[in-house]
Amino acid sequence: MSTHTYDVVVIGAGPVGENVADRVAQGGLSAAVVERELVGGECSYWACMPTKALLRGGAALRAARQVPGAREAVTGDLDVVAVLRRRDSFASHWKDDGQVAWLEQVGVPLYRGHGRISSARVVEVTGEDGTTTTLNARCAVVVATGSGALVPDIEGLRRARPWTSREAAATSAVPGRLAVIGGGVVASEMATAFAALGASVTVLARDGVLPSAEPFAGEHVVESLRESGVSVRLGAEAVSVKRADDGTVSLTLTDGEQVEADEVLVAVGRTPNTRDIGLDTVGLTPGAWLTVDDTLRVTGEDGTPLDGGWLYAAGDVNRRVLLTHQGKYQARAVGDVIVARAKDEPVERGRWGRHVATSDERAVPQVVFTDPEVASVGLTAAAAEAAGLRIRVVDHDLAALAGSSLHAEGYHGRARMVVDEDRKVIVGFTLVGPDVAELLHAATIAVVGEVPLDRLWHAVPAFPTVSEVWLRLLEAYGR
């Protein structure tokens, strides 16, 4: 057994853990990270990058077919082997050499193995060979272990060896028939991807498609999925699943109907990776989400930080926002606050303090890479009303723009801004349409910066672009 001491020990070397360590190192403190799998985490190998690589080929082909001249140049369908090969490259062939080299470059030691908190400010790392290393943290331990796919208690489901998002992202072959349980982001994106790759896809969306988004977003996606041949079963729920000896899967629905498939993908939510990281040794519940204060310190049931305030949690594991970019944002905030406290510098709180993750509350940007794309930031109209805001909703048809008609023949989409009438600022913005993801950051700046509508009139969109929707929304709102 060996023992080492650092200012900060980070459990988890995904994008969040990497950014915490980097921020701490930039602040002049020493840091070490612990990782039991691949450095780079879920996003690099089983989520953001490989899944978007799976989706991009189909999106590019659809875009080409919507433009006369380009349409005539397209003579075939997707090359599935080439798509999977490109996916492999974006997943770095499930090797983390590049990520490890980056850690070495920034001077952050990596300890491979299972990290477990053994007492206050102490993490024990058990390697694959059984050897144990003790890491002492002078200032803080940060939990950045992320989340895993939730597999619900449906009869026979676990025995049927279902796909989760990991298996879907890393598959080496496209199944002939794919059944998807769920209707959220992962379910919608993977249904889009595998339909484009040639699978016959059935989506069992008990709670609807994209239920957390503006209702029109889910409606557009359902319409497009059905046009691409996907069977979208709204309100459908599986009560049992069975895999036969020949490998096929049978799902029984609540009404007794049978759905047959070659693979079943479960995409109904996430669960925290906290079951065996030693939470019990510091009075917390193993397997639970971690509650944090406004500086991302872990708190107990009474809402106060643990003795000494040494334990922090960033990313999915604190359940504030389960998105990679928000986790990295939290990582920057928590890294800065740890450095400030270590140096006895004041911690900046308040709405815009850099030591608090304020955008997690009402300014979260998100893109769903379906066809059409769904891009949103801030509150939906329903969420804004539930928050007690007096709002006005303004919609515009994206197809009515000169830029969208140039972008693609038959462009179909919609934009919505939600205005706080008391402050005359935008608190929510949603776009649905082809390639709207790249329009989102303008809305994010408007929401986060609380730019007054009167000021936005002076942000003139270039013509002819789809960004002209900003002018049309302001015109619809009036002066």
Side-chain angles (χ1 to χ4, degrees), residues 31 83 157 232 315 446:
V83 171
L157 180 58
V232 182

Side-chain angles (χ1 to χ4, degrees), residues 147-222:
S147 64
L150 173 66
V151 179
D153 291 325
I154 297 174
E155 181 184 343
L157 180 58
R158 288 183 176 83
R159 291 194 301 275
R161 305 182 305 282
W163 277 6
T164 67
S165 53
R166 282 198 170 193
E167 287 77 20
T171 183
S172 59
V174 176
R177 299 168 300 173
L178 176 66
V180 182
I181 299 176
V185 174
V186 173
S188 301
E189 288 187 346
M190 290 300 93
T192 301
F194 281 93
L197 292 169
S200 174
V201 181
T202 300
V203 176
L204 306 177
R206 184 190 66 182
D207 301 320
V209 170
L210 303 180
S212 298
E214 293 283 8
F216 68 84
E219 292 167 4
H220 276 263
V221 172
V222 168

